[in-house]
Structure formats: C-alpha cells, structure tokens
Amino acid sequence: MARPVLGLLLTSAMAVITTAMAGQLPMPPGFTVQSDPETVLRAYPLGAITKQAAFSHHGKAIRTVILPNGKEGWVYEVGIKEGRTYEHPTKQKHTVHETEPSYGVRTYTLEFDSKGVVIDVLYNEQGRHDGLTALQVQRRIRGAVPGRH
C-alpha cells in the first residue's frame, strides 16, 4: 500500500520540478514571415535551448542536415502556402507548394552542439550563403568584431 503512494508522490514531485524548470528556460522567438529576421536572430537565446525545447517550440523541422562544420542542423522554412495536389491525365498525383506573392521562402537552421544545445541560428532568404547568423547579429549588437575573441 505504501509503494503506490510513494510512486504517486515521486511522480508528482517530478512533474512539479519539470514544470518549474521549463518555466526557467528562455522562450525563443518564433519563425514567421511577418517577423523581421534580424530581430529573431538578435533575440534567440543561444546556449540555452535544447533539442527537446526547440522541438516543443518550433515543431518538427522539415529536414535535418549535417553542416559544413560537422554539426547537426534542423531546417525550418516559413512563407510556404499549403500544398495543392494536382492529378495528371495519367492519374499520377503531384503536390506543389506555393509561396506568398510578396515573400520568398525564409529558411532558419538551428545549429546544435555535441550536447544538443542550439549554438547558432542560420538565416537565408534567397538560397544558400546569402543570409545572417544569430552569432553575427548578436556580436554586432555587443560591438564585437566578427572573427575576434
């Protein structure tokens, strides 16, 4: 009889601790078409968001990648409308995703360290290598020169 009560107490205590700890985590900004990318990158709490917290806040990434530095990245795209499915006369179906007329697709990639914590957010709007990173924006705000420590 004492074991079920003890188990219930332990479960309740863990739930309270988990809830308290979740309240201490900084909330990352959301990835939306309306959000200014530089504002999102400036506000992203680097070094504080775990994979679990990122998944809980942003949802499932559209894909995972291995970045050139060997780190894992989760890719999120915003600006995509719902896919439309078209059927060819051959009865073969194709799904097409369309973007908003005034917006291109914006891509945010969360970069994780070996412990599974977000260490940078990479932003691109028109394809590869044309965007900003959270580290870059946050260093500029602090007045640090990129590439110098």
Side-chain angles (χ1 to χ4, degrees):
M1 191 85 137
R3 276 193 161 178
V5 172
L6 182 59
L8 182 60
L9 286 174
L10 284 174
T11 303
S12 297
M14 288 302 292
V16 168
I17 290 169
T18 302
T19 303
M21 288 176 66
Q24 294 174 358
L25 284 177
M27 185 64 74
F31 303 137
T32 66
V33 173
Q34 295 79 18
S35 300
D36 172 51
E38 197 163 328
T39 302
V40 171
L41 296 174
R42 184 180 323 121
Y44 209 95
L46 301 177
I49 304 298
T50 63
K51 284 183 179 181
Q52 182 179 358
F55 181 82
S56 294
H57 184 72
H58 299 296
K60 185 177 190 297
I62 63 161
R63 68 182 175 277
T64 59
V65 295
I66 300 300
L67 299 168
N69 63 2
K71 306 277 187 203
E72 180 181 4
W74 287 5
V75 180
Y76 294 88
E77 289 181 348
V78 294
I80 298 176
K81 283 187 174 181
E82 269 187 48
R84 289 188 181 184
T85 302
Y86 297 95
E87 188 174 323
H88 289 269
T90 62
K91 301 296 182 195
Q92 188 176 12
K93 293 183 179 182
H94 291 278
T95 301
V96 177
H97 296 277
E98 301 170 347
T99 60
E100 295 287 338
S102 60
Y103 299 106
V105 175
R106 294 178 172 186
T107 303
Y108 292 91
T109 303
L110 300 180
E111 178 182 347
F112 294 96
D113 67 7
S114 61
K115 296 176 185 171
V117 176
V118 177
I119 57 171
D120 203 358
V121 181
L122 316 173
Y123 169 78
N124 285 293
E125 192 166 308
Q126 301 296 328
R128 302 177 90 179
H129 312 297
D130 69 337
L132 295 170
T133 72
L135 277 175
Q136 185 181 36
V137 171
Q138 291 176 20
R139 282 182 181 158
R140 186 173 9 138
I141 297 301
R142 289 192 309 255
V145 177
R148 293 191 184 169
H149 300 311

